[in-house]
Amino acid sequence: MLAKPFPKTRDNERGGSLIEFTVVASFFFMMLIAIVAAGNLYYTHNALVEATRRGARYAVLNPTGSATAVRNVVIYGTDTPANGATPLVYNLQAANVTINYSTGTNGFGVAKGTATVEITGYTFPFVVPTATTSVTMPPYRTTLTGECAGFIPPNL
């Protein structure tokens, strides 16, 4: 008995799997890059929240400090940055940071007012292939009340 030869039906499908791989891989890698970019956006959001907290804490503990020192703490993480220091958050400028103090002291010389640090108008460059845009972040605000920071009045 003679074996029946296998028909050659795949001659017209050469390269089909390569085209399928190209379509699927391009979609997969674009999604992967978009996930990384969204993670970077979320990281920037958290960094801006932490910057306002850090600045408000510095403003409360140093009520006689200058607004420039508070801005430096918000932007650079220190009140006296070195020349050419890079911001902790990409492209955060001094114009984006607002500091407001409310006045008031209690009878012991400890500030009882508040310090508010706000970041407004920050734009995040959201970059993914085929869709580069800027995202304007919402305003970030932290308000803290004055603290004693270890001072105990002598009459108590």
Side-chain angles (χ1 to χ4, degrees), residues 20-34:
E20 290 174 8
F21 173 76
T22 303
V23 170
V24 170
S26 63
F27 178 75
F28 173 75
F29 287 120
M30 188 160 35
M31 289 296 294
L32 188 65
I33 291 171

Side-chain angles (χ1 to χ4, degrees), residues 67-90:
T68 303
V70 176
R71 279 192 185 89
N72 286 339
V73 168
V74 170
I75 297 170
Y76 302 107
T78 181
D79 57 347
T80 55
N83 286 339
T86 58
L88 295 177
V89 178
Y90 174 75

Side-chain angles (χ1 to χ4, degrees), residues 14-79:
R14 297 188 79 209
S17 60
L18 180 63
I19 292 173
E20 290 174 8
F21 173 76
T22 303
V23 170
V24 170
S26 63
F27 178 75
F28 173 75
F29 287 120
M30 188 160 35
M31 289 296 294
L32 188 65
I33 291 171
I35 289 169
V36 170
N40 193 11
L41 176 67
Y42 186 65
Y43 170 80
T44 301
H45 164 75
N46 286 335
L48 291 171
V49 168
E50 183 58 31
T52 59
R53 288 180 185 158
R54 186 176 45 246
R57 176 84 172 150
Y58 181 85
V60 165
L61 291 176
N62 300 296
T64 59
S66 68
T68 303
V70 176
R71 279 192 185 89
N72 286 339
V73 168
V74 170
I75 297 170
Y76 302 107
T78 181
D79 57 347

